Amino acid sequence: MAKTSVSTLLKMKQAKQKIVALTAYDASFAKLFHDAGVEIILVGDSLGMVLQGGDDTLAVTIADIAYHTRCVRAGSKELFVIADMPFMTYSNPAAACENAATLMRAGANMVKLEGGEWLYDSIRLLTQQGIPVCGHLGLTPQSVHVFGGFKIQGRDDAQAERMIADAKALEAAGAQLLVVECIPSSLAKRISEAVSIPVIGIGAGKETDGQILVMHDLVGISAGYIPKFSKNFLAETGNMPAAVKKYCDDVKSGAFPGPEHEFN
């Protein structure tokens, strides 16, 4: 598979070709995912839950993400690697630049920040300094205590309109990719149509430009429970390479996610 870039992803959106993404945290899985046809790897702060055993993502540090980014990059030179900016590592533009630089040096192609229009100045400065940015709207796990738990976002009209405005603001600031999480499928479709940058969904229905899952959910080994928006592809296929290939094929064809994985 050819090396993926920001330009590749933008062309895929324009051609209405679905983008496939997964989280990964080490070299072995990064290579497996690349060989199966995954375009984007997210080194997610989800590692705080699936690797470290935490109840949320808040304890993850920039050093944690940098370590796992180096591991993932060692597994594939061609994959497009996004590294999460952990909790309180981008509270102001200067901090955002310093911490993002650490992740880019570790091998990331892009960094991901959670939040809306308030990030405008940070994203603008990051992109001016040559650091590509992915935004993240909807259920943003670092704000779990503000939300009162892991709850669906954007169900009322005011919140939906705010999210669309935030998406436009993030693009205007220079963000080149956007993740939307746990929002109604109708809202995800509106956001995907409102911006020219690719929109990757998780628990956001099939009308986004691509899909991402936490790898542990994809194979049914997440501690606690498997989210409604996920699917155990390992149970269906019987081995890891086949499970990842099935996920890629189903995203590309539009078979996943199905109606049973959406929120209305």
Side-chain angles (χ1 to χ4, degrees):
M1 191 171 74
K3 189 171 184 177
T4 303
S5 68
V6 169
S7 296
T8 307
L9 300 174
L10 181 58
K11 288 176 182 176
M12 290 180 71
K13 176 182 175 104
Q14 293 167 345
K16 299 189 182 303
Q17 298 172 347
K18 295 292 187 181
I19 299 164
V20 182
L22 277 171
T23 66
Y25 316 95
D26 66 28
S28 298
F29 279 109
K31 184 179 187 306
L32 171 64
F33 295 168
H34 171 261
D35 292 346
V38 174
E39 280 106 14
I40 297 174
I41 290 295
L42 171 65
V43 182
D45 58 5
S46 50
L47 70 86
M49 302 173 75
V50 298
L51 298 188
Q52 298 174 342
D55 293 328
D56 52 42
T57 65
L58 305 187
V60 176
T61 66
I62 202 77
D64 292 334
I65 297 291
Y67 169 79
H68 288 282
T69 299
R70 285 192 293 272
C71 293
V72 164
R73 179 52 73 203
S76 172
K77 305 303 181 188
E78 288 78 29
L79 277 167
F80 191 83
V81 177
I82 304 174
D84 257 340
M85 296 279 282
F87 179 63
M88 291 301 292
T89 61
Y90 50 97
S91 57
N92 60 69
C97 285
E98 180 178 355
N99 288 309
T102 297
L103 300 182
M104 296 295 286
R105 292 187 188 108
N109 298 108
M110 176 178 273
V111 298
K112 181 167 74 66
L113 288 67
E114 296 182 6
E117 189 175 6
W118 68 271
L119 287 171
Y120 185 95
D121 289 342
S122 291
I123 292 174
R124 189 165 177 270
L125 184 58
L126 285 166
T127 55
Q128 285 175 341
Q129 299 298 317
I131 298 176
V133 174
C134 174
H136 185 160
L137 296 172
L139 173 55
T140 46
Q142 292 173 20
S143 301
V144 62
H145 295 304
V146 174
F147 295 149
F150 293 94
K151 297 180 178 181
I152 313 307
Q153 302 297 307
R155 276 184 158 155
D156 66 73
D157 290 344
Q159 196 177 50
E161 293 301 326
R162 177 73 262 168
M163 210 174 294
I164 293 169
D166 280 338
K168 292 178 178 179
L170 296 180
E171 180 179 23
Q176 293 174 289
L177 201 68
L178 180 64
V179 170
V180 291
E181 179 171 357
C182 288
I183 64 174
S185 54
S186 57
L187 174 57
K189 182 177 188 293
R190 291 177 65 195
I191 291 173
S192 300
E193 293 172 348
V195 297
S196 62
I197 59 175
V199 177
I200 311 298
I202 176 168
K206 67 192 298 179
E207 299 297 332
T208 53
D209 303 305
Q211 299 291 325
I212 186 168
L213 286 178
V214 174
M215 58 168 281
H216 294 68
D217 292 341
L218 176 128
V219 296
I221 59 172
S222 291
Y225 78 104
I226 303 299
K228 167 187 168 69
F229 55 75
S230 191
K231 179 181 177 181
N232 185 342
F233 284 87
L234 182 59
E236 184 177 337
T237 58
N239 66 74
M240 276 293 300
V244 179
K245 183 66 166 55
K246 175 68 171 168
Y247 167 66
C248 291
D249 290 346
D250 284 3
V251 171
K252 292 291 186 184
S253 70
F256 178 84
E260 68 274 24
H261 306 116
E262 296 183 3
F263 300 105
N264 297 313

